[in-house]
Amino acid sequence: VNAGRTARERVRAELTREITEAARRQLATAGAAALSLRAVAREMGMVSSAIYRYFASRDDLLTTLIIESYNALGAAVEDAEAGVARDAFPARWAAACGAIREWALRHPHEYALIYGSPVPGYRAPERTVGPAARSAAVFGKIVADAYRAGAVGVPSRPGSGGGSSAPGSGGWPSAPGSFAADAARLRESVFAGAGVPDDVIARALAAWAGVFGMVSFELFGQFENVITDRGAFFGHAVACLGAVIGLDA
Amino acid sequence: VNAGRTARERVRAELTREITEAARRQLATAGAAALSLRAVAREMGMVSSAIYRYFASRDDLLTTLIIESYNALGAAVEDAEAGVARDAFPARWAAACGAIREWALRHPHEYALIYGSPVPGYRAPERTVGPAARSAAVFGKIVADAYRAGAVGVPSRPGSGGGSSAPGSGGWPSAPGSFAADAARLRESVFAGAGVPDDVIARALAAWAGVFGMVSFELFGQFENVITDRGAFFGHAVACLGAVIGLDA
DNA sequence: TGTACATCAGTGAACGCGCGTTCACTGATGTAC
DNA sequence: TGTACATCAGTGAACGCGCGTTCACTGATGTAC
């Protein structure tokens, strides 16, 4: 019985995997909008209609690619972050952010597929939301762990004049009241129920979006002729954004 | 002679404008990858080959749309920022950022065209870089003006423990040495020769990218089921990012 | 162990569609004398 | 003011291409007795 899988089932699973890999390769050269079932079939040495034995439609194949991309990114972030000492919170943050950038640079079209402009005519089904949250979960855990350990500072707002800061002038702007309900939900799900305050959650989200802004700028060409050593600049920006959350570098 | 333009020239300019407007309308419904010369011609009531009297190719039409989008966004940012008192630097920053978000929400496909994933098979020619820098110039001027007025604080890094900040513990991480040459160039061009230090330039760039990260997340669906009142959240995030530069809110 | 039948993978042709671009052409609009 | 010629806008047909999806089909692989 071979673990409950017949030979046919095994070969089917294998071919399904090969098709998605061919599709991923094509994505890497042509981009999502240009991904075509016929080209995938061609690369597989099959007739185009044969693909329909494995995927119900082109959108179905796209959905699979999206889910796999989210999972690949999530795994890369998890791996990078897992290699850092648990109590080195800024280093965990830096490692996670660096993993995002590196994965994106290595898989630009997959990154564009999940964080770039939506594919025209494609509507993501619900089964993509789980994998999509995977990398966010890592960030949430870093912040939650840091907060639990008392390692999240309340960063003081910069002073207003003269070039020297006004020390102890209180925290940053507080999160808007309309954010409270979202914060409550996120506090339990993403931030592991660590009691992280609304303000920290809000700044963490902003910092998180900021990281992707940096990666997208680099990947989509906005830093062309502007920043030369993009890796070093990214590292610096990530440290600054970490400081916004209150992760001391 | 009518200002040197013959009737033919006037009608030609008018039709060129009408074609780009039809193309923009099509962009707004179908997205950049799906923009087609034939569809534009159809909407114009012309035969498809007639478009070639006005644009050399599909890419040429795309380039025009890109330039116009950069200019429209630039104008929106300029207008919004111009309405704020010159010495209210954080307000100028907030107004400029808000203008980006509002323009993006009103023109999602045009935003995606210029800040989303690159259009497959399209390579932007050099004449797009001028218009692309237009909104960045506004940000540069805000920071330069603020710095000249002594209104850019050196923000103190957040304290590392206990929940209360460690006042006056020095600045944020400094920009990497490899950034110096880029900073020198930007200092003269974008930051209007105001002598803004490397560190401030680096943080301003990061904050700037962060703003676009927020807008892209909102527009491309990453905040779906995460943030409810996105306008208020954006305002808060922008204030935090402004604080990273040292613009006191 | 062998046979009869059901399941399933892959084929090949077809449908109907849209695309960018070229090209020889017809009229209308402009210009020069 | 009128005529001859050049310029230009728009036409219509065509080329050659690719796409997603359907459908009746042929063999091969599996299953039940």
Side-chain angles (χ1 to χ4, degrees), chain A residues 8 12 15 38 46-47 49 53-54:
Chain A
R8 212 180 234 170
R12 183 183 176 78
L15 269 180
R38 293 187 104 109
M46 281 170 148
V47 97
S49 52
R53 295 279 167 208
Y54 299 91

Side-chain angles (χ1 to χ4, degrees), chain B residues 48-117:
Chain B
S48 68
S49 52
I51 304 289
Y52 287 85
R53 295 278 167 210
Y54 300 92
F55 293 93
S57 65
R58 193 195 98 115
D59 277 11
D60 201 52
L61 180 55
L62 251 188
T63 299
T64 300
L65 287 179
I66 288 173
I67 290 174
E68 289 198 351
S69 299
Y70 275 128
N71 274 322
L73 173 62
V77 173
E78 284 166 8
D79 286 357
E81 197 263 350
V84 179
R86 293 295 82 191
D87 58 349
F89 304 108
R92 284 169 68 186
W93 161 259
C97 293
I100 287 182
R101 173 169 178 270
E102 265 150 44
W103 185 87
L105 289 177
R106 242 174 313 135
H107 307 93
H109 284 100
E110 287 170 76
Y111 178 86
L113 179 63
I114 55 182
Y115 289 106
S117 357

Side-chain angles (χ1 to χ4, degrees), chain B:
Chain B
V1 258
N2 209 329
R5 308 178 74 203
T6 72
R8 213 181 232 168
E9 277 171 327
R10 262 178 288 125
V11 99
R12 183 182 176 79
E14 173 67 19
L15 268 181
T16 308
R17 212 179 48 84
E18 275 182 35
I19 291 172
T20 62
E21 268 167 24
R24 205 186 354 251
R25 268 193 302 277
Q26 209 189 293
L27 183 74
T29 65
L35 178 85
S36 98
L37 279 189
R38 294 187 104 107
V40 170
R42 236 175 281 130
E43 188 178 330
M44 293 291 295
M46 281 169 150
V47 97
S48 68
S49 52
I51 304 289
Y52 287 85
R53 295 278 167 210
Y54 300 92
F55 293 93
S57 65
R58 193 195 98 115
D59 277 11
D60 201 52
L61 180 55
L62 251 188
T63 299
T64 300
L65 287 179
I66 288 173
I67 290 174
E68 289 198 351
S69 299
Y70 275 128
N71 274 322
L73 173 62
V77 173
E78 284 166 8
D79 286 357
E81 197 263 350
V84 179
R86 293 295 82 191
D87 58 349
F89 304 108
R92 284 169 68 186
W93 161 259
C97 293
I100 287 182
R101 173 169 178 270
E102 265 150 44
W103 185 87
L105 289 177
R106 242 174 313 135
H107 307 93
H109 284 100
E110 287 170 76
Y111 178 86
L113 179 63
I114 55 182
Y115 289 106
S117 357
V119 180
Y122 173 82
R123 178 106 192 100
E126 286 193 12
R127 61 201 171 99
T128 59
V129 309
R134 196 164 154 185
S135 53
V138 177
F139 285 101
K141 189 137 196 330
I142 295 172
V143 173
D145 288 356
Y147 185 79
R148 236 190 301 252
V152 172
V154 177
S156 67
R157 197 160 59 188
S160 57
S164 106
S165 67
S169 66
W172 291 32
S174 9
S178 57
F179 183 64
D182 298 327
R185 198 171 5 85
L186 293 165
R187 180 160 29 240
E188 296 314 309
S189 57
V190 180
F191 292 92
V196 181
D198 287 18
D199 284 6
V200 175
I201 292 180
R203 288 203 305 274
L205 266 184
W208 188 59
V211 169
F212 284 86
M214 298 279 310
V215 172
S216 293
F217 260 34
E218 175 169 357
L219 223 66
F220 299 161
Q222 236 69 35
F223 282 160
E224 218 73 37
N225 298 320
V226 176
I227 293 170
T228 312
D229 186 352
R230 289 164 201 158
F233 181 80
F234 180 81
H236 173 252
V238 158
C240 292
L241 289 171
V244 169
I245 310 179
L247 295 173
D248 194 13

